[in-house]
Amino acid sequence: MLVVRIAGDGVHRFSQLSQQLGDGRARNVYSRAINDEGAKAATHTGRALAKQTGLKAGVTREALKKRDRSTPATLAFVIKVQGGNIRVKYFNPRENDAGVSANPWNKRVTYSGAFMRAGFWPNRVDKDNWNGQVFYRTGIRKFTKKYPKGNAKFPNGMDQFKVARSGVFIPIEATQGQTAATFNKSGSALETRVTHYLKRLSQGAIS
């Protein structure tokens, strides 16, 4: 979870504002500024996260969409970063004779033994209900009415699959590298935004 808070000399600035405007008005100014910069931070962080992870911007935007806006009481804008171990299907996968290649962290790697289509190589066929998913065989067989034990064509039943995961965790990525730097840079602009609102509020009398 990422949080935009008053930081650095922002606390000193807030004390000054409280003396000049009163605590209530000072909190309103800060809260509006935090919400402005928090929204910008979320947008910029989402773009940086897409570049860092190899995910599409729409996926990272979805992962950052849950937010708690600042109020005069909280003075904090919270971005709730979501996401577990991201599926390989989200990293532009391509099936080949060695498995499936994809580009987590914007690096093309091969997931050996993984697959996206059915049939024997090279006569592979797409399965509509797989929705572009990437799988591994688990080595476990399942017996059903269609594939009962002792079936002449499928004597060992049906293969069981598991979804292939990339090893990319969005909450972890959001706290490191260029994504974290982008977030911190966006949050540091808070003082400028506070001054903007303050000048407008006081018609230039306070700066």
Side-chain angles (χ1 to χ4, degrees), residues 14-104:
F14 178 70
S15 297
Q16 288 181 317
L17 289 178
S18 294
Q19 292 176 2
Q20 292 175 300
L21 302 175
D23 185 69
R25 294 181 77 190
R27 283 182 171 274
N28 283 331
V29 169
Y30 254 106
S31 187
R32 288 184 67 183
I34 289 171
N35 281 328
D36 278 359
E37 293 308 318
K40 290 179 183 178
T43 298
H44 295 157
T45 299
R47 290 172 183 164
L49 191 57
K51 291 180 181 179
Q52 181 172 312
T53 61
L55 289 164
K56 292 182 179 179
V59 176
T60 58
R61 186 165 54 246
E62 184 72 14
L64 301 177
K65 76 175 185 178
K66 288 195 174 182
R67 307 165 193 175
D68 291 338
R69 288 173 58 81
S70 171
T71 68
T74 63
L75 296 183
F77 185 102
V78 179
I79 305 172
K80 299 178 179 179
V81 184
Q82 304 180 99
N85 192 349
I86 303 299
R87 299 180 182 198
V88 174
K89 71 171 288 187
Y90 292 105
F91 295 94
N92 191 25
R94 304 173 196 157
E95 189 182 81
N96 56 48
D97 57 356
V100 172
S101 70
N103 62 341

Side-chain angles (χ1 to χ4, degrees), residues 155-177:
N156 297 316
M158 250 187 115
D159 284 336
Q160 293 296 284
F161 309 146
K162 66 177 181 180
V163 172
R165 304 281 178 173
S166 65
V168 176
F169 293 82
I170 288 180
I172 294 175
E173 296 295 328
T175 61
Q176 60 190 20

